[in-house]
């Protein structure tokens, strides 16, 4: 189970029932994987969800999860979202509950979150109502892929797997962020997405306006006009937001040794200006997130 989904601590709440043997299957799609899990007994599960978010969708039964002190109870038609690098306790996972789980790498979610919302730190709720039209559409896409054999020749092709991971992740984000972002994403020109992808690939690069324009294949003026029109920001402002969100995510994960090292990794060479920008955006000094 840990290899297929997340490392965890399991506590049986009853003896297993021979009639309901535990089972797990996993479909790997690059930075995303889809699993089906049933324990065959009432259990409690604790996980830190290292490096990835976990979306747990009960196909039958009820799932009780405590996240950041809040109890989230999901039944059929709802999904529980477990944030990356955040402790969560499934206080009761009953024998009758089978879940469809989706695990998506934290950094991949962050990159796609920017592409979809133009806000690198947009909030993802801890529960989704799958009966709402956008979420229901995403769930239908998810189940259509999840129903394929895990050794399907087409799905094991890296290019196909990556494309499906992007589609599923973007569809999920469009279903849980404000509706207004759908229109912005649909009309966003290729020159903007090319630059955003390049920044995510090399956040520590000393990007200049001309280098960004070269990536987009347009003039500096045209690039600035495109960002202002479709994002309401300059390329430099977008670069800073992506870097700040990356630092925050890494500090939140608890894996960082020092704020300075993480800031440098994300392209901040002047620590004083970085600290001021971080405090202005998030309301706290970066050191407060260092575990």
């Amino acid at each position: 189970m840990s290899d297929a989904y997340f490392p965890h601590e399991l506590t049986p709440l009853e003896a297993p029932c021979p009639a309901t043997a535990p089972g797990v299957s996993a479909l790997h799609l690059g930075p995303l994987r889809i699993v089906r899990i049933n324990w065959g007994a009432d259990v409690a599960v604790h996980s830190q969800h290292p490096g990835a978010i976990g979306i747990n969708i009960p196909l039958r039964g009820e799932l009780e999860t405590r996240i950041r002190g809040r109890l989230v109870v999901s039944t059929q038609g709802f999904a529980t979202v477990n944030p990356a690098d955040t402790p969560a306790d499934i206080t009761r996972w009953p024998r009758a509950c089978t879940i469809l789980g989706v695990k998506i790498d934290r950094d991949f979610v962050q990159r796609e979150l920017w592409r979809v919302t133009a806000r690198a730190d947009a909030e993802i709720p801890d529960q989704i109502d799958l009966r709402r039209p956008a979420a229901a559409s995403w769930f239908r896409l998810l189940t259509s892929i999840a129903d394929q054999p895990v050794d399907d020749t087409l799905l094991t092709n890296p290019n196909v797997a990556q494309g499906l991971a992007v589609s599923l992740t973007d569809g999920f984000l469009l279903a849980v962020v404000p509706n207004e972002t759908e229109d912005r994403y649909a009309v966003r020109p290729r020159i903007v997405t090319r630059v955003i992808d390049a920044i995510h690939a090399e956040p520590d690069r000393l990007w200049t306006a001309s280098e960004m324009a070269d990536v987009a294949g347009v003039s500096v003026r045209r690039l600035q006009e495109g960002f202002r029109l479709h994002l309401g920001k300059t390329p430099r402002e977008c670069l800073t937001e992506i870097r700040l969100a990356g630092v925050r995510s890494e500090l939140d994960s608890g894996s960082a040794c020092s704020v300075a090292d993480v800031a440098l990794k994300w392209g901040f060479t002047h620590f004083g200006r970085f600290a001021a920008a971080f405090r202005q955006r998030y309301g706290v000094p970066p050191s407060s997130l260092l575990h």
Side-chain angles (χ1 to χ4, degrees):
M1 295 288 192
S2 291
D3 291 342
Y5 203 29
F6 285 99
H8 61 271
E9 299 171 8
L10 177 72
T11 304
L13 302 180
E14 67 169 6
C17 175
T20 53
V24 59
S25 63
L27 175 62
H28 294 252
L29 299 173
L32 181 148
R33 67 180 61 178
I34 305 170
V35 302
R36 291 179 191 266
I37 299 177
N38 181 283
W39 290 100
D42 286 9
V43 300
V45 178
H46 171 80
S47 177
Q48 304 279 343
H49 298 94
I53 70 168
I55 308 165
N56 294 337
I57 307 168
L59 300 178
R60 57 178 180 173
E62 182 178 273
L63 197 66
E64 299 177 358
T65 310
R66 189 167 293 279
I67 306 170
R68 300 191 181 109
R70 177 174 180 263
L71 184 63
V72 180
V73 180
S74 290
T75 56
Q76 189 173 2
F78 290 85
T80 302
V81 181
N82 300 277
D85 307 298
T86 302
D89 289 287
I90 299 178
T91 54
R92 183 171 177 270
W93 184 333
R95 175 194 309 170
C97 181
T98 297
I99 73 156
L100 188 64
V102 183
K103 178 180 180 179
I104 315 177
D105 289 354
R106 179 193 63 221
D107 293 343
F108 186 73
V109 171
Q110 183 182 334
R111 190 192 82 180
E112 295 305 306
L113 187 62
W114 174 264
R115 286 164 57 90
V116 170
T117 69
R119 292 181 294 126
D121 51 0
E123 293 293 329
I124 298 175
D126 54 21
Q127 189 175 55
I128 308 165
D129 184 348
L130 296 172
R131 301 167 302 177
R132 301 182 65 178
S137 178
W138 172 77
F139 184 55
R140 287 193 296 271
L141 175 62
L142 172 66
T143 53
S144 68
I145 297 171
D147 288 341
Q148 304 304 312
V150 296
D151 58 350
D152 183 278
T153 303
L154 188 60
L155 298 184
T156 56
N157 181 290
N159 293 326
V160 174
Q162 183 72 16
L164 289 174
V166 171
S167 297
L168 285 170
T169 302
D170 289 0
F172 166 72
L173 294 172
L174 286 170
V176 301
V177 296
N179 291 335
E180 63 175 357
T181 59
E182 295 184 27
D183 294 335
R184 294 173 66 188
Y185 181 64
V187 301
R188 193 173 303 166
R190 185 174 295 275
I191 62 171
V192 174
T193 57
R194 281 177 178 171
V195 173
I196 290 173
D197 287 346
I199 290 172
H200 276 288
E202 297 181 273
D204 60 337
R205 180 173 169 179
L206 297 177
W207 287 100
T208 64
S210 60
E211 287 175 329
M212 293 184 194
D214 286 343
V215 168
V218 296
S219 68
V220 171
R221 181 177 179 179
R222 178 68 186 91
L223 178 71
Q224 292 172 336
E225 289 175 347
F227 269 74
R228 184 172 61 253
L229 176 63
H230 296 282
L231 300 181
K233 306 168 186 175
T234 67
R236 179 61 57 180
E237 288 171 337
C238 292
L239 172 63
T240 300
E241 283 189 17
I242 291 172
R243 286 174 168 173
L244 288 173
V247 172
R248 183 191 184 193
S249 177
E250 198 157 331
L251 293 178
D252 274 340
S253 73
S255 61
C257 295
S258 77
V259 174
D261 288 345
V262 176
L264 189 62
K265 173 183 175 181
W266 283 91
F268 291 104
T269 56
H270 191 290
F271 189 77
R273 284 199 290 266
F274 153 72
F278 192 96
R279 181 188 286 272
Q280 182 179 11
R281 183 159 186 82
Y282 299 115
V284 295
S287 57
S288 68
L289 301 182
L290 190 63
H291 300 293

